[in-house]
Amino acid sequence: MAKSFNTLPANISGNPSPFTLHVPNEALAEFTQLLRLSPIGPKTWWNQDTTGKVGVSREWLTAAKETWLSTKFNWRTHEDYTNSFPNFKVPIMDPEAGTVDIHFAALFSQRADAIPIIFLHGYPGSFMEFLPMLEILAKRYTPETLPYHVIVPSLPDYALSGGASENVEMTLDRAARIMNQLMLDLGFGSGYVAQGGDLGSMLVRIMAVQYDACKAFHVNMLVLNPDQKPGSIDELTEREKEHMDRSNKWQQTGFAYALEHGTRPSTIGLAISSSPLALLAWIGEKHLEWSDPRYPIPLDTILAMTTLYWFTSTFPRALYHAELVKNVLAGKPHPISKEKPLGYSLFPHDLVVLPQAWATEIYPNLVAYRTHDKGGHFGALEQPKEFLEDVEEFVEKVKGVLE
C-alpha cells in the first residue's frame, strides 16, 4: 500500500499536515450544470479540420463534453487514486511572497541513505503527471527498501498549492526559492536532486544555480539560451534532424498561446476560467498536440487534469510561466549550471529537443543523456517506466555528490 510511505523524516523542521483531495458534492453538481449549459460554437471552416493544425476540432470538443457529462468519466475515481498516495500540505515562509501553502504527494523512505528527489511539473500539467511513477515505485519497493525520498509538489499557484499571501507577483525566482525551501523544511538541507519538465525544468535550473542544497538536476526539456550556439546540422543523425525539424515547425506554428500568456495574462486568465468547456479546449489542445500521436494521452486522463484545473482555479493563477516568454522575446538568458551534474531525457515528440552532440559540446557537466523512441512533452505521464529508469540511472551516477 502506497499509504505506508507516509512516515516523515525524523529531522524535519517544517510542519506538514496530511491532506485528502475531496471536491464537495455541491461543487460537482454546480460544475455539471455549468458544463451542460456551456455551448459549443457553430461549425466553421476551421473547426471542422481534425488534423490539429488549426487547434482542437469541434468534433473532438463535442465528444469530450459528452464523455465528461456521462458516467464514463468519474472524478471520484481520480480522487481515490490521488488519495492512495500520501499527500500533505505545508506552509512555506518566503521573504517576499509571505506564507505560501504548498501541497505535495510523497513516498518517504525509512532508509538512512535514501536520496531526496523533487519532481516539478509544468504547464498545463500538475502533480498528477507523476502519480503513475509513484505507483511503480510503491509496487517495487517497501518503505524499508525505497532508495529515495520522492517529493512531488503542486507548484506555487498550481492545483492544490496556494500563492503569495503578500501582494506580489509570483515569479520564477520566487517559485524556485519556495521549492528549495520546501526541501529544506522537509529535512533535506544536506542535499537533494531536482527533476523537472516544461516550467519545472526552468525552475530546477534556477535551483541548481542559486541553492547549494540542490546538488544535481535532471530535465526532460532542455532549452538553449539565446547566447548558446549549437553546432552544425551536419553533425546530427537523420533521426535527430527529424526531431529538430518537428521542433522548428512547432516554434513557427504553435507558439501563439505563449505570446498571449506572456503579454495578456489577465485577459486570457479571465476568458478561459469563465467556462469548463473553454478550459478544456485551451489546455486539452496541448495534451493532444504535445504528446506522441502514436500513443495519445487517454481522454479520461485529459478530463481529469482539466477537472483538477477547474476546481482549483489553476489556470488564471498559474500564468507566471509567461515570464519565460518575456525573457525569450527580450533575448534574456535563463540560468543553468555548467558545474553541477546534469541529466537529460529526450522524448522525440517534445516541443524543444537538444541533440546529443550539441548538448555534450555546450554542457561539460552533462553526465546522463537518454533518447527515447516514443513519448512527448509529458514524459512522466506518457512513459512513466522509461522516465523513471532515466532518473534512477542519473541518480546512481550522481549520488556521490550527496554523500
Side-chain angles (χ1 to χ4, degrees):
M1 291 289 291
K3 282 290 191 181
S4 63
F5 293 86
N6 63 351
T7 302
L8 296 166
N11 59 335
I12 191 170
S13 59
N15 187 30
S17 301
F19 174 79
T20 300
L21 174 60
H22 178 76
V23 174
N25 290 332
E26 296 80 3
L28 279 174
E30 181 182 282
F31 164 79
T32 300
Q33 180 70 356
L34 182 59
L35 178 59
R36 183 176 290 113
L37 295 174
S38 297
I40 293 178
K43 287 184 179 180
T44 66
W45 184 85
W46 297 285
N47 67 33
Q48 294 181 76
D49 185 302
T50 58
T51 65
K53 293 180 180 179
V54 291
V56 295
S57 69
R58 189 176 188 275
E59 176 185 328
W60 181 86
L61 190 61
T62 300
K65 177 182 177 181
E66 291 175 356
T67 300
W68 218 357
L69 287 169
S70 75
T71 56
K72 294 179 182 177
F73 177 77
N74 188 337
W75 169 246
R76 295 299 186 207
T77 299
H78 293 280
E79 283 187 340
D80 291 343
Y81 183 55
T82 298
N83 293 329
S84 70
F85 304 98
N87 282 260
F88 303 87
K89 279 196 173 184
V90 61
I92 301 295
M93 296 300 299
D94 182 79
E96 296 174 343
T99 301
V100 184
D101 289 326
I102 293 298
H103 158 265
F104 65 96
L107 297 179
F108 288 112
S109 173
Q110 294 183 16
R111 286 177 50 166
D113 61 347
I115 295 174
I117 313 173
I118 185 171
F119 290 86
L120 302 185
H121 64 82
Y123 167 85
S126 72
F127 74 97
M128 282 184 167
E129 292 179 40
F130 298 105
L131 297 186
M133 178 194 72
L134 294 185
E135 183 177 3
I136 293 172
L137 288 168
K139 289 180 178 178
R140 183 184 301 170
Y141 298 105
T142 66
E144 292 76 24
T145 61
L146 180 65
Y148 326 105
H149 297 293
V150 183
I151 311 301
V152 179
S154 297
L155 295 181
D157 272 323
Y158 274 80
L160 302 169
S161 284
S165 62
E166 300 297 324
N167 187 26
V168 296
E169 180 182 8
M170 184 57 65
T171 63
L172 300 175
D173 281 341
R174 285 170 181 149
R177 185 169 62 233
I178 291 166
M179 292 294 92
N180 176 71
Q181 191 61 49
L182 170 65
M183 295 302 278
L184 300 186
D185 287 359
L186 290 177
F188 305 134
S190 60
Y192 63 85
V193 175
Q195 198 290 325
D198 189 83
L199 174 61
S201 73
M202 298 304 189
L203 296 182
V204 302
R205 285 169 60 159
I206 295 174
M207 292 161 72
V209 169
Q210 295 189 359
Y211 303 109
D212 291 339
C214 181
K215 301 296 185 182
F217 63 114
H218 180 281
V219 297
N220 53 290
M221 188 178 80
L222 189 53
V223 179
L224 288 178
N225 279 325
D227 59 339
Q228 293 176 317
K229 304 302 180 183
S232 169
I233 195 76
D234 296 331
E235 299 178 72
L236 308 185
T237 65
E238 290 303 313
R239 181 185 179 195
E240 288 176 327
K241 290 177 182 177
E242 291 177 7
H243 294 168
M244 293 301 297
D245 183 59
R246 187 183 301 117
S247 178
N248 290 334
K249 287 181 179 177
W250 174 82
Q251 292 179 54
Q252 296 169 13
T253 63
F255 201 62
Y257 85 95
L259 296 176
E260 180 69 22
H261 289 189
T263 58
R264 294 294 184 270
S266 176
T267 303
I268 195 64
L270 291 169
I272 298 303
S273 61
S274 65
S275 161
L277 203 59
L279 180 65
L280 176 61
W282 192 258
I283 69 173
E285 175 194 279
K286 306 314 176 192
H287 288 111
L288 295 172
E289 181 185 355
W290 296 357
S291 57
D292 189 332
R294 301 167 300 172
Y295 308 93
I297 298 173
L299 176 59
D300 187 71
T301 301
I302 296 174
L303 294 178
M305 301 283 275
T306 308
T307 303
L308 179 71
Y309 263 55
W310 179 261
F311 282 119
T312 57
S313 299
T314 290
F315 182 81
R317 299 190 293 134
L319 293 174
Y320 57 89
H321 62 269
E323 183 182 346
L324 292 170
V325 180
K326 295 176 184 177
N327 291 345
V328 169
L329 295 176
K332 181 180 178 180
H334 190 79
I336 185 167
S337 173
K338 290 190 176 181
E339 290 78 37
K340 291 181 178 178
L342 163 66
Y344 174 44
S345 294
L346 187 157
F347 292 94
H349 283 267
D350 202 353
L351 310 178
V352 180
V353 294
L354 187 60
Q356 187 166 7
W358 296 355
T360 303
E361 178 183 339
I362 294 171
Y363 298 110
N365 54 328
L366 184 68
V367 300
Y369 185 107
R370 287 281 298 274
T371 301
H372 295 275
D373 294 325
K374 55 187 178 181
H377 187 62
F378 307 95
L381 180 65
E382 296 179 61
Q383 302 296 332
K385 179 176 178 292
E386 291 79 2
F387 173 84
L388 176 59
E389 288 174 353
D390 287 5
V391 175
E392 290 192 297
E393 176 188 330
F394 174 69
V395 170
E396 182 65 25
K397 289 182 177 181
V398 304
K399 64 182 182 181
V401 301
L402 290 109
E403 296 174 349

